[in-house]
Amino acid sequence: MKSKYVILASALLISVATFAQKDQIKAAEKALKGGNSQEAVTILQAAETASATAPDAEKAQFFFVKGNALLDLANKNVDVDTNLSLAAKAYQDLIAVEQASGKVKYSTQAATSITQIKFKLINSAIADSKIDKHSTSAKKLYDAYLLDKKDTINLYYAASTYVNAKEYDPALKLYDELKNLNYSGKGTSYFAVNKLTSEEDVFATAQERDRMVKLGTHDKPRTEVIPSKRGEIYKNMALILVEKGKTEEAKKAIAEARVANPEDTSLILTEANLYLETKDFDTYKKLISEVLEKNPNDADLVFNLGVISANAKNTVEAEKYYKRAIEIKPDYVNAYLNLAIMKLDADKKLFDEMSKLGNSEKDNKRYLVLKKQREAVFTDALPFLEKASELDPKNAEVKATLLGVYGALEMTEKKKALKAKM
């Protein structure tokens, strides 16, 4: 009889606790409706322990109110990062409870709020990056990914932002996750200019964009192919591993990636660059030949070969690749620009020598020789620099460099005309 009494008493205690929690949830709802979200959170904190033993329907309601209260605080700029994170967790707990019980009441609203939180995190991350708070930006982007794992672009941006923060361990961990997902990021973006704002809007599909153009709200439609990001991912993984003294691991990671993605030429370039970094020039040349065999008319690929050759101080090869990229794509502005910059690099050595000369007869003769050599350098670079400026007229750095070249070659009229446009 005594044991039965104890069981009955325990049941009564649970029942009392359940009623108490119901009252607390109601009180929290009332506080939230009255605009007192902090009061609602405080009330719910007192009910947290009892929620563990509550019925599923009550648990779901508890998490729903908790999520709403925390999100409201974040919307009021109260401890935004913490409250967004806690609100997301509450909504996720709610969805888990309703999925387990099979009774859905709040999940749809919770999913909408999670999406809202995701975009708040992304916007906040972008703002942080603009003021060089890369570490906090990366964490927010990763949190946004955890809220919606289908949106893997946020995982990629989180990894890249950790690299910007020079936090290589978390970056490597996220890159490894991207590798396991076989993420490429390859796709197509559809753009059109919004007539109202004069800015480009991006659309999910060509049909959606074309519909808006037809309606007259947008014009100047364009399509942009987004190349695979695998090369960059594995390049960054390799560079981090090399930095840690794990060169063999870096080579193994890229070799595995190539086996999994045999048609992705960006990975061959990445592997070639790694062997270049480790001074294995024979393997580097072998891989470069393989790249050319696969895509002899890929302007971007040929341009990248030019960049790699320039980094290796092989200017003859670099010039050949840049000019080939221009043959394939005559408006390839970066090829013209890199050619000009590479040619102008020779000027530094000449200028430094000229600066050290004295006023002796021998020095004066040497000065005239160096002056002619400098003029030849500027003349050689000029057509590529002019073309780059023509193709990218808003590039202030190109114009400034071109202005300097005009001045060095005493092309007064051209210098005046360009200066008038700046």
Side-chain angles (χ1 to χ4, degrees):
M1 185 74 182
K2 188 176 181 183
S3 63
K4 285 183 181 178
Y5 174 76
V6 171
I7 292 168
L8 182 63
S10 298
L12 186 62
L13 283 171
I14 292 168
S15 177
V16 169
T18 301
F19 280 123
Q21 191 194 36
K22 280 183 179 177
D23 288 343
Q24 285 168 315
I25 293 172
K26 284 181 181 177
E29 282 184 319
K30 185 178 178 183
L32 186 57
K33 284 177 183 175
N36 300 315
S37 42
Q38 185 59 67
E39 184 186 337
V41 171
T42 304
I43 293 167
L44 291 171
Q45 283 172 342
E48 193 84 44
T49 305
S51 69
T53 57
D56 287 338
E58 200 168 300
K59 276 184 191 175
Q61 185 184 11
F62 171 83
F63 287 129
F64 182 63
V65 177
K66 181 181 178 181
N68 289 349
L70 290 163
L71 181 55
D72 191 54
L73 280 175
N75 288 337
K76 290 175 178 174
N77 293 319
V78 178
D79 201 0
V80 179
D81 296 345
T82 301
N83 284 322
L84 280 179
S85 178
L86 291 172
K89 176 70 168 60
Y91 289 131
Q92 287 172 318
D93 288 342
L94 150 65
I95 291 169
V97 167
E98 292 200 334
Q99 280 180 342
S101 69
K103 295 179 181 178
V104 177
K105 183 176 181 181
Y106 302 107
S107 289
T108 303
Q109 294 173 69
T112 301
S113 295
I114 285 173
T115 301
Q116 183 185 346
I117 292 169
K118 183 182 88 168
F119 285 112
K120 279 183 176 290
L121 286 168
I122 292 168
N123 290 334
S124 182
I126 292 167
D128 284 342
S129 274
K130 285 179 180 176
I131 54 173
D132 295 329
K133 291 173 68 177
H134 299 300
S135 184
T136 55
S137 174
K139 185 183 181 306
K140 287 172 185 176
L141 288 166
Y142 186 61
D143 286 344
Y145 162 69
L146 292 176
L147 290 178
D148 182 6
K149 289 193 173 183
K150 295 190 296 296
D151 204 353
T152 44
I153 188 70
N154 291 319
L155 177 60
Y156 164 76
Y157 284 135
S160 302
T161 308
Y162 271 126
V163 170
N164 293 339
K166 294 182 171 55
E167 291 190 29
Y168 299 123
D169 286 336
L172 189 60
K173 181 184 171 187
L174 301 195
Y175 279 133
D176 198 50
E177 195 170 340
L178 287 163
K179 172 187 146 186
N180 293 333
L181 291 169
N182 201 27
Y183 173 81
S184 77
K186 192 174 182 179
T188 307
S189 291
Y190 305 97
F191 299 91
V193 174
N194 188 315
K195 289 182 179 179
L196 190 64
T197 64
S198 297
E199 292 183 1
E200 269 194 331
D201 289 339
V202 62
F203 298 87
T205 65
Q207 290 80 3
E208 185 184 342
R209 179 202 57 196
D210 294 345
R211 186 173 66 85
M212 299 308 286
V213 170
K214 198 172 181 180
L215 285 170
T217 60
H218 292 70
D219 61 6
K220 299 177 185 174
R222 71 178 181 91
T223 300
E224 184 178 307
V225 176
I226 303 165
S228 169
K229 294 178 176 67
R230 283 199 189 102
E232 183 194 334
I233 290 166
Y234 283 93
K235 179 189 76 175
N236 286 347
M237 286 182 76
L239 289 174
I240 292 168
L241 288 167
V242 169
E243 180 76 18
K244 289 173 166 288
K246 298 178 179 179
T247 304
E248 291 309 311
E249 278 188 43
K251 290 177 181 176
K252 184 183 173 185
I254 294 174
E256 286 175 355
R258 286 196 58 197
V259 170
N261 308 277
E263 299 305 313
D264 196 334
T265 49
S266 67
L267 291 174
I268 309 176
L269 270 176
T270 297
E271 189 173 18
N273 207 30
L274 175 59
Y275 281 97
L276 182 64
E277 290 278 336
T278 54
K279 306 289 189 290
D280 185 346
F281 298 111
D282 289 338
T283 307
Y284 161 73
K285 287 176 183 175
K286 177 174 171 274
L287 289 164
I288 291 301
S289 298
E290 190 180 335
V291 173
L292 282 173
E293 283 173 16
K294 283 181 175 287
N295 287 291
N297 293 315
D298 185 323
D300 290 331
L301 193 57
V302 175
F303 172 79
N304 284 339
L305 293 174
V307 172
I308 288 173
S309 298
N311 289 339
K313 307 299 180 188
N314 191 338
T315 54
V316 174
E317 285 286 296
E319 182 167 349
K320 181 182 79 174
Y321 288 131
Y322 288 142
K323 286 183 175 177
R324 173 66 185 139
I326 290 166
E327 274 180 39
I328 299 165
K329 187 180 177 184
D331 62 347
Y332 207 136
V333 62
N334 286 338
Y336 289 106
L337 187 55
N338 281 20
L339 264 171
I341 290 168
M342 189 174 70
K343 289 178 178 296
L344 289 171
D345 278 346
D347 176 57
K348 186 179 185 304
K349 188 178 176 182
L350 297 171
F351 179 77
D352 288 345
E353 189 180 344
M354 288 173 76
S355 301
K356 292 172 185 174
L357 293 174
N359 292 315
S360 68
E361 186 179 346
K362 183 183 175 182
D363 282 350
N364 287 336
K365 284 181 180 178
R366 181 61 183 160
Y367 182 89
L368 291 173
V369 170
L370 293 171
K371 186 183 177 188
K372 282 190 176 180
Q373 288 178 1
R374 283 192 79 202
E375 287 173 355
V377 166
F378 292 135
T379 302
D380 201 18
L382 183 59
F384 301 111
L385 202 55
E386 286 182 325
K387 189 65 177 179
S389 183
E390 177 192 321
L391 292 169
D392 188 8
K394 292 182 180 179
N395 193 319
E397 192 177 339
V398 173
K399 282 185 176 178
T401 306
L402 184 55
L403 205 65
V405 170
Y406 282 150
L409 292 174
E410 297 179 2
M411 300 173 73
T412 312
E413 292 305 315
K414 283 202 169 188
K415 186 178 178 181
K416 280 181 182 177
L418 179 61
K419 207 165 187 178
K421 293 177 183 176
M422 293 172 72

PDB file of all heavy atoms in Angstrom, residues 65-81:
ATOM      1  N   VAL A  65       7.559  29.116 -28.762  1.00  0.00           N
ATOM      2  CA  VAL A  65       7.506  30.412 -28.067  1.00  0.00           C
ATOM      3  C   VAL A  65       8.914  30.898 -27.751  1.00  0.00           C
ATOM      4  O   VAL A  65       9.235  32.089 -27.899  1.00  0.00           O
ATOM      5  CB  VAL A  65       6.656  30.300 -26.775  1.00  0.00           C
ATOM      6  CG1 VAL A  65       6.655  31.634 -26.024  1.00  0.00           C
ATOM      7  CG2 VAL A  65       5.225  29.892 -27.096  1.00  0.00           C
ATOM      8  N   LYS A  66       9.762  29.966 -27.327  1.00  0.00           N
ATOM      9  CA  LYS A  66      11.153  30.319 -27.011  1.00  0.00           C
ATOM     10  C   LYS A  66      11.860  30.883 -28.251  1.00  0.00           C
ATOM     11  O   LYS A  66      12.521  31.924 -28.187  1.00  0.00           O
ATOM     12  CB  LYS A  66      11.896  29.084 -26.501  1.00  0.00           C
ATOM     13  CG  LYS A  66      13.354  29.344 -26.122  1.00  0.00           C
ATOM     14  CD  LYS A  66      14.026  28.059 -25.650  1.00  0.00           C
ATOM     15  CE  LYS A  66      15.492  28.295 -25.318  1.00  0.00           C
ATOM     16  NZ  LYS A  66      16.171  27.043 -24.891  1.00  0.00           N
ATOM     17  N   GLY A  67      11.710  30.197 -29.388  1.00  0.00           N
ATOM     18  CA  GLY A  67      12.322  30.662 -30.629  1.00  0.00           C
ATOM     19  C   GLY A  67      11.825  32.041 -31.021  1.00  0.00           C
ATOM     20  O   GLY A  67      12.621  32.912 -31.401  1.00  0.00           O
ATOM     21  N   ASN A  68      10.508  32.249 -30.920  1.00  0.00           N
ATOM     22  CA  ASN A  68       9.912  33.553 -31.272  1.00  0.00           C
ATOM     23  C   ASN A  68      10.445  34.674 -30.387  1.00  0.00           C
ATOM     24  O   ASN A  68      10.725  35.780 -30.860  1.00  0.00           O
ATOM     25  CB  ASN A  68       8.390  33.490 -31.165  1.00  0.00           C
ATOM     26  CG  ASN A  68       7.775  32.658 -32.273  1.00  0.00           C
ATOM     27  OD1 ASN A  68       8.450  32.301 -33.233  1.00  0.00           O
ATOM     28  ND2 ASN A  68       6.502  32.338 -32.146  1.00  0.00           N
ATOM     29  N   ALA A  69      10.568  34.384 -29.076  1.00  0.00           N
ATOM     30  CA  ALA A  69      11.036  35.400 -28.131  1.00  0.00           C
ATOM     31  C   ALA A  69      12.498  35.775 -28.410  1.00  0.00           C
ATOM     32  O   ALA A  69      12.860  36.958 -28.425  1.00  0.00           O
ATOM     33  CB  ALA A  69      10.896  34.884 -26.698  1.00  0.00           C
ATOM     34  N   LEU A  70      13.318  34.769 -28.663  1.00  0.00           N
ATOM     35  CA  LEU A  70      14.739  35.020 -28.934  1.00  0.00           C
ATOM     36  C   LEU A  70      14.936  35.748 -30.264  1.00  0.00           C
ATOM     37  O   LEU A  70      15.770  36.654 -30.369  1.00  0.00           O
ATOM     38  CB  LEU A  70      15.506  33.694 -28.938  1.00  0.00           C
ATOM     39  CG  LEU A  70      15.653  33.019 -27.557  1.00  0.00           C
ATOM     40  CD1 LEU A  70      16.037  31.559 -27.721  1.00  0.00           C
ATOM     41  CD2 LEU A  70      16.705  33.754 -26.727  1.00  0.00           C
ATOM     42  N   LEU A  71      14.160  35.364 -31.261  1.00  0.00           N
ATOM     43  CA  LEU A  71      14.251  36.031 -32.561  1.00  0.00           C
ATOM     44  C   LEU A  71      13.805  37.485 -32.453  1.00  0.00           C
ATOM     45  O   LEU A  71      14.402  38.379 -33.079  1.00  0.00           O
ATOM     46  CB  LEU A  71      13.406  35.284 -33.597  1.00  0.00           C
ATOM     47  CG  LEU A  71      13.419  35.842 -35.030  1.00  0.00           C
ATOM     48  CD1 LEU A  71      14.845  35.950 -35.573  1.00  0.00           C
ATOM     49  CD2 LEU A  71      12.573  34.974 -35.948  1.00  0.00           C
ATOM     50  N   ASP A  72      12.792  37.725 -31.651  1.00  0.00           N
ATOM     51  CA  ASP A  72      12.322  39.093 -31.448  1.00  0.00           C
ATOM     52  C   ASP A  72      13.409  39.949 -30.793  1.00  0.00           C
ATOM     53  O   ASP A  72      13.607  41.108 -31.163  1.00  0.00           O
ATOM     54  CB  ASP A  72      11.053  39.092 -30.586  1.00  0.00           C
ATOM     55  CG  ASP A  72      10.375  40.457 -30.558  1.00  0.00           C
ATOM     56  OD1 ASP A  72      10.089  40.994 -31.641  1.00  0.00           O
ATOM     57  OD2 ASP A  72      10.159  40.998 -29.456  1.00  0.00           O
ATOM     58  N   LEU A  73      14.126  39.351 -29.831  1.00  0.00           N
ATOM     59  CA  LEU A  73      15.234  40.076 -29.196  1.00  0.00           C
ATOM     60  C   LEU A  73      16.314  40.412 -30.222  1.00  0.00           C
ATOM     61  O   LEU A  73      16.845  41.529 -30.232  1.00  0.00           O
ATOM     62  CB  LEU A  73      15.850  39.231 -28.064  1.00  0.00           C
ATOM     63  CG  LEU A  73      15.111  39.215 -26.725  1.00  0.00           C
ATOM     64  CD1 LEU A  73      15.797  38.244 -25.764  1.00  0.00           C
ATOM     65  CD2 LEU A  73      15.070  40.612 -26.102  1.00  0.00           C
ATOM     66  N   ALA A  74      16.629  39.444 -31.071  1.00  0.00           N
ATOM     67  CA  ALA A  74      17.643  39.667 -32.101  1.00  0.00           C
ATOM     68  C   ALA A  74      17.198  40.772 -33.058  1.00  0.00           C
ATOM     69  O   ALA A  74      18.003  41.623 -33.463  1.00  0.00           O
ATOM     70  CB  ALA A  74      17.910  38.379 -32.869  1.00  0.00           C
ATOM     71  N   ASN A  75      15.912  40.768 -33.423  1.00  0.00           N
ATOM     72  CA  ASN A  75      15.373  41.801 -34.313  1.00  0.00           C
ATOM     73  C   ASN A  75      15.420  43.184 -33.679  1.00  0.00           C
ATOM     74  O   ASN A  75      15.422  44.197 -34.380  1.00  0.00           O
ATOM     75  CB  ASN A  75      13.937  41.460 -34.713  1.00  0.00           C
ATOM     76  CG  ASN A  75      13.874  40.287 -35.690  1.00  0.00           C
ATOM     77  OD1 ASN A  75      14.843  40.004 -36.387  1.00  0.00           O
ATOM     78  ND2 ASN A  75      12.745  39.601 -35.725  1.00  0.00           N
ATOM     79  N   LYS A  76      15.471  43.202 -32.339  1.00  0.00           N
ATOM     80  CA  LYS A  76      15.568  44.478 -31.614  1.00  0.00           C
ATOM     81  C   LYS A  76      17.022  44.842 -31.315  1.00  0.00           C
ATOM     82  O   LYS A  76      17.304  45.712 -30.487  1.00  0.00           O
ATOM     83  CB  LYS A  76      14.772  44.393 -30.310  1.00  0.00           C
ATOM     84  CG  LYS A  76      13.264  44.340 -30.527  1.00  0.00           C
ATOM     85  CD  LYS A  76      12.522  44.121 -29.205  1.00  0.00           C
ATOM     86  CE  LYS A  76      11.010  44.124 -29.431  1.00  0.00           C
ATOM     87  NZ  LYS A  76      10.250  43.777 -28.195  1.00  0.00           N
ATOM     88  N   ASN A  77      17.953  44.105 -31.986  1.00  0.00           N
ATOM     89  CA  ASN A  77      19.397  44.338 -31.828  1.00  0.00           C
ATOM     90  C   ASN A  77      19.909  44.100 -30.414  1.00  0.00           C
ATOM     91  O   ASN A  77      20.857  44.751 -29.955  1.00  0.00           O
ATOM     92  CB  ASN A  77      19.776  45.762 -32.281  1.00  0.00           C
ATOM     93  CG  ASN A  77      19.594  45.952 -33.771  1.00  0.00           C
ATOM     94  OD1 ASN A  77      19.923  45.063 -34.554  1.00  0.00           O
ATOM     95  ND2 ASN A  77      19.055  47.096 -34.160  1.00  0.00           N
ATOM     96  N   VAL A  78      19.286  43.143 -29.717  1.00  0.00           N
ATOM     97  CA  VAL A  78      19.755  42.753 -28.386  1.00  0.00           C
ATOM     98  C   VAL A  78      20.600  41.488 -28.530  1.00  0.00           C
ATOM     99  O   VAL A  78      20.088  40.436 -28.895  1.00  0.00           O
ATOM    100  CB  VAL A  78      18.569  42.486 -27.423  1.00  0.00           C
ATOM    101  CG1 VAL A  78      19.087  42.024 -26.065  1.00  0.00           C
ATOM    102  CG2 VAL A  78      17.693  43.724 -27.285  1.00  0.00           C
ATOM    103  N   ASP A  79      21.913  41.607 -28.260  1.00  0.00           N
ATOM    104  CA  ASP A  79      22.833  40.462 -28.325  1.00  0.00           C
ATOM    105  C   ASP A  79      22.518  39.598 -29.555  1.00  0.00           C
ATOM    106  O   ASP A  79      22.232  38.397 -29.448  1.00  0.00           O
ATOM    107  CB  ASP A  79      22.725  39.651 -27.032  1.00  0.00           C
ATOM    108  CG  ASP A  79      23.953  38.792 -26.784  1.00  0.00           C
ATOM    109  OD1 ASP A  79      24.884  38.832 -27.611  1.00  0.00           O
ATOM    110  OD2 ASP A  79      23.974  38.062 -25.782  1.00  0.00           O
ATOM    111  N   VAL A  80      22.566  40.242 -30.714  1.00  0.00           N
ATOM    112  CA  VAL A  80      22.041  39.661 -31.956  1.00  0.00           C
ATOM    113  C   VAL A  80      22.591  38.269 -32.253  1.00  0.00           C
ATOM    114  O   VAL A  80      21.827  37.320 -32.478  1.00  0.00           O
ATOM    115  CB  VAL A  80      22.321  40.594 -33.160  1.00  0.00           C
ATOM    116  CG1 VAL A  80      21.809  39.974 -34.450  1.00  0.00           C
ATOM    117  CG2 VAL A  80      21.659  41.949 -32.924  1.00  0.00           C
ATOM    118  N   ASP A  81      23.918  38.125 -32.255  1.00  0.00           N
ATOM    119  CA  ASP A  81      24.519  36.857 -32.669  1.00  0.00           C
ATOM    120  C   ASP A  81      24.089  35.702 -31.770  1.00  0.00           C
ATOM    121  O   ASP A  81      23.706  34.623 -32.243  1.00  0.00           O
ATOM    122  CB  ASP A  81      26.053  36.969 -32.675  1.00  0.00           C
ATOM    123  CG  ASP A  81      26.543  37.971 -33.708  1.00  0.00           C
ATOM    124  OD1 ASP A  81      25.738  38.355 -34.585  1.00  0.00           O
ATOM    125  OD2 ASP A  81      27.720  38.375 -33.643  1.00  0.00           O
TER     126      ASP A  81
END
